[in-house]
Amino acid sequence: MNQDQAHQLRQLSNSLAQHKKMSRVVTVASGKGGVGKSNFILSFALSMMELGQKVVVIDLDIGMANLDILMGTTPKYHLLDMILERKSIWSVLERGPQGLEYIAGGSGLKELLQLREEERHYFFRELEKLHGYADLILIDTGAGLTVESQQCHLAADEVILLTTPEPTAMADAYSVVKILHSQKPTISFQLVVNRVSRQKEGIEAGSKFKFAVQRFLNKEITIFGAIPDDAAVMQAVLKQVPFYLAYPRAQASLTLKRLAQRFINGAEAVPAEDGGMKGFLRTISRMFTS
């Protein structure tokens, strides 16, 4: 049995056993680069898996796709290979540490916009097969806001917004909320303050950010948590191993474990009509026809 057949059997088994399951699509955003978003995504995915959640990570970081590098893996195929070589989604679904399933970037939505109509249809058909396959689909769209990444965030069930306490990072994160909120007032944000020197700093930074968003945008956001500035993270990067696996007892790893449990406990049901992977793709497809 080849890899493609094995993935198809696995997907069929999941479909039969959990035909009512809705995959929650969550994008991870940041106002600027260098705030630790890719490291967060990988370790958050692994911590969710540890709690029994099935997770798929999709790397759509345009021009800067690096999740595979942080895992020390070499993907056989990238997202664009699926389309141009007509490979199934199961062929390009790679496996990283602890069996974490991910689709490598190597290209982004900007390249996808240049596809022919039949190629786009194939792309959407294949991605839709993930609907119900995983409990959580995490999407890395890259730092800042491009026209393409905006559409991803607007289409997602939820947005995790990552920032650091630095004023420039906070200001850029505020701009992300302002722009996305202006286009979709009902958009849901979970704020994570990364690289805090102490827990009190994270609480204060998150509270100030929440107050500013409430006062000037009349928008409620949730303070998801604060992650300590931990030397173990950089050490893990040098080893090309997610810090959650390389240093499971590090403060950053223990914090991720708590955040994962909080995420599961606070998760709301995904709307059957507008949510999940089908809803995400329905919204994204409008970008190609507008």
Side-chain angles (χ1 to χ4, degrees):
M1 180 182 297
N2 60 34
Q3 183 184 32
D4 187 50
Q5 291 173 323
H7 273 302
Q8 289 182 34
L9 286 175
R10 191 182 304 116
Q11 198 272 344
L12 177 61
S13 175
N14 275 271
S15 178
L16 292 174
Q18 304 177 8
H19 62 282
K20 292 184 179 181
K21 180 168 70 176
M22 293 289 290
S23 300
R24 177 174 293 275
V25 178
V26 176
T27 55
V28 183
S30 66
K32 59 178 291 188
V35 299
K37 185 160 57 62
S38 295
N39 276 309
F40 168 81
I41 289 173
L42 287 179
S43 288
F44 182 64
L46 289 163
S47 61
M48 291 289 288
M49 289 171 58
E50 195 174 75
L51 293 173
Q53 297 288 291
K54 187 171 183 60
V55 181
V56 171
V57 176
I58 302 177
D59 194 350
L60 282 181
D61 190 346
I62 299 173
M64 296 292 287
N66 62 2
L67 291 179
D68 52 309
I69 297 174
L70 292 174
M71 289 187 286
T73 60
T74 303
K76 187 176 181 181
Y77 300 111
H78 294 81
L79 187 62
L80 208 58
D81 295 326
M82 179 183 77
I83 305 163
L84 300 181
E85 299 181 24
R86 288 298 193 270
K87 296 189 177 298
S88 76
I89 189 74
W90 314 118
S91 294
V92 300
L93 196 61
E94 304 279 351
R95 283 184 173 272
Q98 303 297 108
L100 172 60
E101 293 181 293
Y102 72 99
I103 299 177
S107 62
L109 285 177
K110 187 172 294 185
E111 286 80 1
L112 296 177
L113 285 172
Q114 301 170 1
L115 297 174
R116 297 191 300 271
E117 184 177 0
E118 64 271 19
E119 292 173 331
R120 294 198 300 268
H121 286 318
Y122 182 81
F123 168 64
F124 289 131
R125 281 200 308 271
E126 289 302 308
L127 279 187
E128 191 172 323
K129 293 177 181 178
L130 293 176
H131 184 75
Y133 176 71
D135 298 294
L136 175 66
I137 298 175
L138 278 173
I139 300 178
D140 184 1
T141 62
L145 281 182
T146 63
V147 173
E148 298 82 21
S149 65
Q150 284 183 45
Q151 295 303 315
C152 282
H153 297 312
L154 295 171
D157 298 310
E158 201 161 13
V159 179
I160 294 178
L161 179 63
L162 196 74
T163 185
T164 60
E166 286 80 7
T168 53
M170 297 286 279
D172 289 337
Y174 177 85
S175 296
V176 169
V177 175
K178 181 178 180 180
I179 292 170
L180 294 178
H181 172 65
S182 69
Q183 299 177 65
K184 183 182 177 182
T186 59
I187 192 168
S188 176
F189 290 100
Q190 298 262 16
L191 178 68
V192 176
V193 185
N194 194 24
R195 296 177 182 164
V196 300
S197 59
R198 58 192 187 285
Q199 195 65 24
K200 182 179 178 181
E201 180 186 35
I203 295 173
E204 291 176 349
S207 298
K208 289 178 180 178
F209 190 91
K210 180 181 176 72
F211 176 77
V213 171
Q214 287 175 326
R215 179 178 180 183
F216 299 110
L217 301 179
N218 194 28
K219 172 69 178 176
E220 289 288 337
I221 66 168
T222 301
I223 301 176
F224 190 24
I227 304 173
D229 189 7
D230 196 327
V233 176
M234 182 52 66
Q235 293 170 11
V237 169
L238 296 175
K239 291 182 177 182
Q240 290 186 278
V241 179
F243 69 81
Y244 191 78
L245 297 180
Y247 303 99
R249 303 305 300 172
Q251 286 302 308
S253 298
L254 295 175
T255 300
L256 260 294
K257 187 187 292 286
R258 290 192 292 269
L259 291 184
Q261 187 63 65
R262 186 178 304 167
F263 187 84
I264 292 176
N265 293 341
E268 298 180 358
V270 178
E273 295 298 324
D274 302 324
M277 198 62 183
K278 287 186 177 180
F280 177 83
L281 292 173
R282 189 181 304 115
T283 302
I284 289 295
S285 65
R286 301 190 191 113
M287 179 175 61
F288 289 91
T289 57
S290 61

mmCIF file of all heavy atoms in Angstrom, residues 124-143:
data_model
loop_
_atom_site.group_PDB
_atom_site.id
_atom_site.type_symbol
_atom_site.label_atom_id
_atom_site.label_comp_id
_atom_site.label_asym_id
_atom_site.label_seq_id
_atom_site.Cartn_x
_atom_site.Cartn_y
_atom_site.Cartn_z
ATOM 1 N N PHE A 124 -9.337 23.751 -4.547
ATOM 2 C CA PHE A 124 -10.408 23.812 -3.566
ATOM 3 C C PHE A 124 -10.990 22.427 -3.285
ATOM 4 O O PHE A 124 -11.319 22.114 -2.137
ATOM 5 C CB PHE A 124 -11.509 24.762 -4.036
ATOM 6 C CG PHE A 124 -11.111 26.212 -4.009
ATOM 7 C CD1 PHE A 124 -11.332 27.029 -5.101
ATOM 8 C CD2 PHE A 124 -10.499 26.754 -2.893
ATOM 9 C CE1 PHE A 124 -10.957 28.361 -5.081
ATOM 10 C CE2 PHE A 124 -10.117 28.084 -2.860
ATOM 11 C CZ PHE A 124 -10.361 28.900 -3.958
ATOM 12 N N ARG A 125 -11.124 21.608 -4.326
ATOM 13 C CA ARG A 125 -11.671 20.261 -4.137
ATOM 14 C C ARG A 125 -10.784 19.438 -3.210
ATOM 15 O O ARG A 125 -11.273 18.708 -2.342
ATOM 16 C CB ARG A 125 -11.820 19.536 -5.479
ATOM 17 C CG ARG A 125 -13.029 19.942 -6.288
ATOM 18 C CD ARG A 125 -13.380 18.886 -7.317
ATOM 19 N NE ARG A 125 -12.248 18.493 -8.143
ATOM 20 C CZ ARG A 125 -11.906 19.099 -9.284
ATOM 21 N NH1 ARG A 125 -12.593 20.143 -9.706
ATOM 22 N NH2 ARG A 125 -10.876 18.674 -9.984
ATOM 23 N N GLU A 126 -9.475 19.554 -3.398
ATOM 24 C CA GLU A 126 -8.562 18.773 -2.575
ATOM 25 C C GLU A 126 -8.542 19.277 -1.131
ATOM 26 O O GLU A 126 -8.576 18.485 -0.184
ATOM 27 C CB GLU A 126 -7.150 18.798 -3.177
ATOM 28 C CG GLU A 126 -7.017 17.996 -4.461
ATOM 29 C CD GLU A 126 -7.396 16.538 -4.269
ATOM 30 O OE1 GLU A 126 -6.861 15.897 -3.345
ATOM 31 O OE2 GLU A 126 -8.244 16.039 -5.028
ATOM 32 N N LEU A 127 -8.486 20.586 -0.936
ATOM 33 C CA LEU A 127 -8.465 21.123 0.425
ATOM 34 C C LEU A 127 -9.749 20.803 1.175
ATOM 35 O O LEU A 127 -9.736 20.596 2.396
ATOM 36 C CB LEU A 127 -8.247 22.636 0.399
ATOM 37 C CG LEU A 127 -6.819 23.149 0.226
ATOM 38 C CD1 LEU A 127 -6.776 24.657 0.398
ATOM 39 C CD2 LEU A 127 -5.854 22.490 1.203
ATOM 40 N N GLU A 128 -10.858 20.724 0.459
ATOM 41 C CA GLU A 128 -12.134 20.443 1.114
ATOM 42 C C GLU A 128 -12.153 19.048 1.733
ATOM 43 O O GLU A 128 -12.935 18.766 2.640
ATOM 44 C CB GLU A 128 -13.293 20.593 0.120
ATOM 45 C CG GLU A 128 -14.655 20.578 0.797
ATOM 46 C CD GLU A 128 -15.786 20.920 -0.151
ATOM 47 O OE1 GLU A 128 -15.598 21.788 -1.027
ATOM 48 O OE2 GLU A 128 -16.856 20.316 -0.019
ATOM 49 N N LYS A 129 -11.280 18.165 1.258
ATOM 50 C CA LYS A 129 -11.211 16.814 1.817
ATOM 51 C C LYS A 129 -10.742 16.824 3.270
ATOM 52 O O LYS A 129 -10.922 15.833 3.990
ATOM 53 C CB LYS A 129 -10.273 15.948 0.968
ATOM 54 C CG LYS A 129 -10.805 15.664 -0.436
ATOM 55 C CD LYS A 129 -9.811 14.862 -1.249
ATOM 56 C CE LYS A 129 -10.336 14.611 -2.667
ATOM 57 N NZ LYS A 129 -9.345 13.868 -3.485
ATOM 58 N N LEU A 130 -10.136 17.930 3.705
ATOM 59 C CA LEU A 130 -9.714 18.045 5.100
ATOM 60 C C LEU A 130 -10.892 18.331 6.026
ATOM 61 O O LEU A 130 -10.764 18.234 7.245
ATOM 62 C CB LEU A 130 -8.670 19.162 5.254
ATOM 63 C CG LEU A 130 -7.314 18.928 4.585
ATOM 64 C CD1 LEU A 130 -6.435 20.161 4.750
ATOM 65 C CD2 LEU A 130 -6.628 17.690 5.161
ATOM 66 N N HIS A 131 -12.040 18.686 5.451
ATOM 67 C CA HIS A 131 -13.231 19.000 6.231
ATOM 68 C C HIS A 131 -13.681 17.754 6.997
ATOM 69 O O HIS A 131 -14.042 16.742 6.412
ATOM 70 C CB HIS A 131 -14.350 19.485 5.306
ATOM 71 C CG HIS A 131 -15.587 19.931 6.038
ATOM 72 N ND1 HIS A 131 -15.648 21.131 6.700
ATOM 73 C CD2 HIS A 131 -16.786 19.332 6.229
ATOM 74 C CE1 HIS A 131 -16.844 21.264 7.248
ATOM 75 N NE2 HIS A 131 -17.552 20.181 6.978
ATOM 76 N N GLY A 132 -13.624 17.814 8.318
ATOM 77 C CA GLY A 132 -13.991 16.678 9.131
ATOM 78 C C GLY A 132 -12.846 15.713 9.389
ATOM 79 O O GLY A 132 -12.986 14.788 10.186
ATOM 80 N N TYR A 133 -11.712 15.914 8.714
ATOM 81 C CA TYR A 133 -10.569 15.006 8.892
ATOM 82 C C TYR A 133 -9.833 15.307 10.192
ATOM 83 O O TYR A 133 -9.363 14.402 10.871
ATOM 84 C CB TYR A 133 -9.614 15.153 7.701
ATOM 85 C CG TYR A 133 -8.342 14.341 7.819
ATOM 86 C CD1 TYR A 133 -8.369 12.955 7.712
ATOM 87 C CD2 TYR A 133 -7.116 14.963 8.026
ATOM 88 C CE1 TYR A 133 -7.204 12.205 7.822
ATOM 89 C CE2 TYR A 133 -5.940 14.225 8.133
ATOM 90 C CZ TYR A 133 -6.001 12.850 8.032
ATOM 91 O OH TYR A 133 -4.842 12.107 8.145
ATOM 92 N N ALA A 134 -9.725 16.599 10.514
ATOM 93 C CA ALA A 134 -8.998 17.012 11.718
ATOM 94 C C ALA A 134 -9.925 17.795 12.639
ATOM 95 O O ALA A 134 -10.918 18.380 12.206
ATOM 96 C CB ALA A 134 -7.794 17.862 11.344
ATOM 97 N N ASP A 135 -9.584 17.802 13.926
ATOM 98 C CA ASP A 135 -10.319 18.643 14.867
ATOM 99 C C ASP A 135 -9.934 20.105 14.684
ATOM 100 O O ASP A 135 -10.770 20.998 14.807
ATOM 101 C CB ASP A 135 -10.001 18.224 16.306
ATOM 102 C CG ASP A 135 -10.427 16.799 16.601
ATOM 103 O OD1 ASP A 135 -11.640 16.541 16.592
ATOM 104 O OD2 ASP A 135 -9.536 15.952 16.809
ATOM 105 N N LEU A 136 -8.656 20.326 14.400
ATOM 106 C CA LEU A 136 -8.132 21.688 14.298
ATOM 107 C C LEU A 136 -7.230 21.809 13.079
ATOM 108 O O LEU A 136 -6.332 20.999 12.877
ATOM 109 C CB LEU A 136 -7.338 22.039 15.559
ATOM 110 C CG LEU A 136 -6.618 23.386 15.584
ATOM 111 C CD1 LEU A 136 -7.623 24.532 15.560
ATOM 112 C CD2 LEU A 136 -5.719 23.496 16.823
ATOM 113 N N ILE A 137 -7.488 22.822 12.254
ATOM 114 C CA ILE A 137 -6.625 23.141 11.120
ATOM 115 C C ILE A 137 -6.012 24.505 11.390
ATOM 116 O O ILE A 137 -6.707 25.520 11.441
ATOM 117 C CB ILE A 137 -7.408 23.161 9.791
ATOM 118 C CG1 ILE A 137 -7.996 21.766 9.521
ATOM 119 C CG2 ILE A 137 -6.506 23.591 8.632
ATOM 120 C CD1 ILE A 137 -8.893 21.700 8.296
ATOM 121 N N LEU A 138 -4.702 24.520 11.615
ATOM 122 C CA LEU A 138 -3.968 25.750 11.916
ATOM 123 C C LEU A 138 -3.314 26.271 10.649
ATOM 124 O O LEU A 138 -2.613 25.522 9.963
ATOM 125 C CB LEU A 138 -2.888 25.487 12.963
ATOM 126 C CG LEU A 138 -3.300 25.456 14.436
ATOM 127 C CD1 LEU A 138 -2.126 25.005 15.287
ATOM 128 C CD2 LEU A 138 -3.788 26.826 14.893
ATOM 129 N N ILE A 139 -3.507 27.539 10.352
ATOM 130 C CA ILE A 139 -2.968 28.123 9.128
ATOM 131 C C ILE A 139 -2.036 29.285 9.460
ATOM 132 O O ILE A 139 -2.421 30.233 10.146
ATOM 133 C CB ILE A 139 -4.098 28.616 8.191
ATOM 134 C CG1 ILE A 139 -4.999 27.438 7.816
ATOM 135 C CG2 ILE A 139 -3.522 29.271 6.945
ATOM 136 C CD1 ILE A 139 -6.170 27.825 6.926
ATOM 137 N N ASP A 140 -0.801 29.173 8.973
ATOM 138 C CA ASP A 140 0.189 30.249 9.115
ATOM 139 C C ASP A 140 0.171 31.072 7.835
ATOM 140 O O ASP A 140 0.539 30.587 6.768
ATOM 141 C CB ASP A 140 1.577 29.650 9.349
ATOM 142 C CG ASP A 140 2.636 30.722 9.591
ATOM 143 O OD1 ASP A 140 2.291 31.917 9.587
ATOM 144 O OD2 ASP A 140 3.805 30.352 9.783
ATOM 145 N N THR A 141 -0.251 32.332 7.925
ATOM 146 C CA THR A 141 -0.363 33.186 6.741
ATOM 147 C C THR A 141 0.792 34.163 6.601
ATOM 148 O O THR A 141 0.819 34.954 5.664
ATOM 149 C CB THR A 141 -1.677 33.995 6.779
ATOM 150 O OG1 THR A 141 -1.658 34.849 7.926
ATOM 151 C CG2 THR A 141 -2.885 33.083 6.860
ATOM 152 N N GLY A 142 1.734 34.139 7.526
ATOM 153 C CA GLY A 142 2.837 35.087 7.448
ATOM 154 C C GLY A 142 2.569 36.315 8.297
ATOM 155 O O GLY A 142 1.472 36.538 8.794
ATOM 156 N N ALA A 143 3.607 37.135 8.474
ATOM 157 C CA ALA A 143 3.503 38.320 9.320
ATOM 158 C C ALA A 143 2.811 39.461 8.579
ATOM 159 O O ALA A 143 2.872 39.548 7.358
ATOM 160 C CB ALA A 143 4.894 38.764 9.770
#
